[in-house]
Amino acid sequence: MGQTTVLIVGAGMAGLLAAIAFKKRGYNVKIYDMYDPGAIAEPQVLGGVSGGLMGVYSNGLRALERLDLLDAVVEASAEANAAMPFYLMDGSDEIIKDDISPVEGVLDQRFLLRQKLHAILGLACSKAGVQIFARKKFVSLAQTDEGVWVTFADSETVFADLLVGADGIHSAVRRNVFTESAKLPIFWGIGYMGIYELDKEIPNEKAPLRINSHSRSLYTDPIRAISIATVNNEKDKVGTWIINDMDKSKIVEDEDWRPYSDLPKESNRLATIVEKWGAPKPLVSCIRNAERITPVSLYDLPDLPSFYSGRVLLVGDAGHGTIPTMGQGVNMAMEDAGVLFDLLDAYPDLGRDYATVFKLYDKVRVPRVHHIAAESRAIAKRLNASTPFKAKLVRIIMRIVFAIRNQRKSVDKIVAYDYRSDVIKAVDVQ
């Protein structure tokens, strides 16, 4: 019997992470992506393809540690400070939330550029011998008792023992396999992510570019359902702002994760909009002087009852993509990979035991990601108030809750979660 082959559709974070998990357990792994991921190389701080700074929390870092990726991510990232302020859109009414680390030392929240993380994962795949095929658009699949036949837009058909769908929230793999339960993602609003150089001197500006001294902050206007999140990386002197407008009527034609080419036009347009919202002048300046802006539509995938069907498994946003109000998207993909890695240790003959592995994967992941999705939706709803009274009431409750948490030095159970205990329980019961 030959080596079991795992074909992964999608070379984003989830696909690369899953590939590393399978490859480290000795399987033949091939990745197919409709775009060309480009050369796997360490990008310049403000170079790369798209996106901005992203947070990796303790739960994600635990999975990276299991996959031997922790040191590289820590080296490429900056640590977040504990205090995170929540403001009204004009910078008033500060409410501080102290995030207490669930693990001493290195397993605190880290911030790094999206393209840096992608490069780290790509390099790990390259070094491990994972094959990546570019410009291969998935079209359809057909399952047999022996494996899966996958057809691409160029008419090539490829056979594999197992197929992993990691092709994002609009997953074509999901639509092919889960035809009855795979509802289309729900549009929640529009977003824009920009990066700028921290403390850069700009002519005619009174102060260098910097929104505030915190590594994270959030400015909101619940009545208009708008918010701006900010992230600072002091190590690389990079700042990120993320504009979210959850007016569901504003569907735009921008292609997600493709940076604007006419940067001055878009930066000035967004800066003017935010200025009219009443945002603080430093924030407006950082938007106007962005060095890259990427449109990001906000979608939420209705909960799926299962993440597998036969020989096909979904990971990352393909199975559980949700709105980014908790910043847990990539961390969920990391947990997915970590769970797979540990299950493959318990069941090393994947060709024979794939059904058991996928069943246990569901048992561990479905409750967890459904919980994260529910919390993300709840936060989004709290950021949208129908009346000034409700908006004020939410602020009062938030102030009380955070004050109690801060005084008790409560650990956030979301990021303190350790998937390994759930894997052990699932395997023991099985």
Side-chain angles (χ1 to χ4, degrees):
M1 183 180 292
Q3 187 183 29
T4 299
T5 297
V6 180
L7 191 156
I8 298 175
V9 177
M13 305 290 187
L16 296 176
L17 284 160
I20 293 166
F22 281 110
K23 191 66 177 178
K24 279 184 170 292
R25 291 304 187 196
Y27 298 101
N28 180 30
V29 183
K30 299 179 180 180
I31 301 176
Y32 290 76
D33 195 279
M34 64 187 296
Y35 298 110
D36 188 348
I40 301 300
E42 183 70 12
Q44 296 298 314
V45 170
L46 294 181
V49 179
S50 64
L53 291 167
M54 60 194 315
V56 184
Y57 293 81
S58 294
N59 54 311
L61 291 169
R62 283 193 180 90
L64 293 178
E65 188 172 34
R66 291 287 287 156
L67 298 172
D68 296 323
L69 296 167
L70 179 62
D71 289 345
V73 170
V74 170
E75 176 63 26
S77 62
E79 189 174 348
N81 54 33
M84 178 178 178
F86 292 72
Y87 303 102
L88 293 178
M89 184 55 69
D90 62 0
S92 65
D93 193 33
E94 180 184 73
I95 302 175
I96 295 290
K97 175 188 176 186
D98 285 335
D99 286 332
I100 310 302
S101 172
V103 179
E104 292 294 331
V106 74
L107 294 183
D108 290 324
Q109 185 181 1
R110 313 287 302 186
F111 285 114
L112 75 166
L113 285 165
R114 175 186 173 89
Q115 68 265 20
K116 274 197 169 187
L117 179 56
H118 197 268
I120 289 169
L121 301 181
L123 281 168
C125 282
S126 179
K127 290 178 180 179
V130 175
Q131 294 176 280
I132 301 179
F133 299 88
R135 295 180 294 278
K136 303 292 290 187
K137 183 178 181 180
F138 170 88
V139 173
S140 63
L141 64 88
Q143 296 197 60
T144 69
D145 291 339
E146 290 76 31
V148 186
W149 288 96
V150 183
T151 302
F152 297 95
D154 60 4
S155 299
E156 182 182 4
T157 300
V158 179
F159 179 81
D161 296 284
L162 302 167
L163 174 67
V164 176
D167 49 339
I169 200 165
H170 300 291
S171 172
V173 174
R174 183 182 70 241
R175 294 196 303 272
N176 265 255
V177 179
F178 299 84
T179 53
E180 294 183 3
S181 61
K183 300 176 183 177
L184 294 175
I186 298 169
F187 179 82
W188 273 66
I190 55 178
Y192 304 91
M193 181 178 292
I195 61 174
Y196 65 95
E197 183 179 336
L198 277 179
D199 299 326
K200 182 178 181 179
E201 298 282 351
I202 301 295
N204 302 320
E205 293 284 353
K206 294 182 178 179
L209 295 181
R210 178 177 284 271
I211 296 170
N212 56 50
S213 60
H214 295 277
S215 57
R216 303 158 294 167
S217 60
L218 183 66
Y219 299 78
T220 64
D221 182 340
I223 301 300
R224 290 185 286 182
I226 52 180
S227 64
I228 305 176
T230 71
V231 183
N232 293 341
N233 180 326
E234 301 293 346
K235 177 180 178 179
D236 292 330
K237 304 303 289 183
V238 178
T240 288
W241 47 260
I242 305 147
I243 299 171
N244 290 327
D245 186 346
M246 292 192 182
D247 182 341
K248 297 181 182 181
S249 67
K250 296 179 180 178
I251 298 179
V252 293
E253 299 299 325
D254 293 328
E255 186 180 6
D256 278 358
W257 300 109
R258 295 293 175 268
Y260 286 122
S261 56
D262 191 346
L263 186 58
K265 175 184 174 182
E266 294 302 326
S267 60
N268 280 308
R269 179 180 72 86
L270 290 174
T272 300
I273 290 173
V274 169
E275 190 170 31
K276 290 179 180 178
W277 289 352
K281 289 184 178 180
L283 202 163
V284 175
S285 295
C286 291
I287 293 172
R288 196 178 302 278
N289 292 282
E291 302 199 17
R292 183 176 68 222
I293 298 175
T294 307
V296 187
S297 297
L298 308 177
Y299 286 96
D300 181 45
L301 182 67
D303 294 339
L304 297 180
S306 174
F307 297 141
Y308 78 96
S309 176
R311 292 174 174 270
V312 181
L313 178 72
L314 301 177
V315 298
D317 285 353
H320 46 75
T322 191
I323 44 179
T325 47
M326 293 189 70
Q328 277 287 326
V330 72
N331 294 275
M332 290 297 100
M334 291 171 180
E335 285 186 11
D336 289 349
V339 170
L340 282 171
F341 184 72
D342 282 6
L343 287 174
L344 294 173
D345 184 41
Y347 295 90
D349 189 350
L350 184 61
R352 183 191 66 189
D353 295 328
Y354 73 88
T356 300
V357 171
F358 288 0
K359 176 184 175 182
L360 293 177
Y361 178 88
D362 251 13
K363 187 173 183 179
V364 175
R365 297 306 293 148
V366 169
R368 167 68 172 172
V369 297
H370 284 185
H371 175 61
I372 296 298
E375 289 293 317
S376 299
R377 294 167 193 143
I379 292 172
K381 290 177 180 178
R382 289 198 293 271
L383 293 175
N384 186 1
S386 57
T387 67
F389 172 76
K390 289 183 179 179
K392 191 176 181 77
L393 181 61
V394 168
R395 297 291 293 185
I396 293 172
I397 294 172
M398 183 187 300
R399 188 177 294 278
I400 293 171
V401 170
F402 285 174
I404 294 173
R405 280 174 47 96
N406 296 346
Q407 185 176 25
R408 293 179 177 177
K409 299 187 180 301
S410 300
V411 171
D412 188 335
K413 292 181 180 180
I414 294 293
V415 300
Y417 172 76
D418 187 347
Y419 68 86
R420 292 172 296 186
S421 60
D422 282 347
V423 171
I424 292 170
K425 291 177 185 176
V427 171
D428 286 346
V429 172
Q430 181 67 24

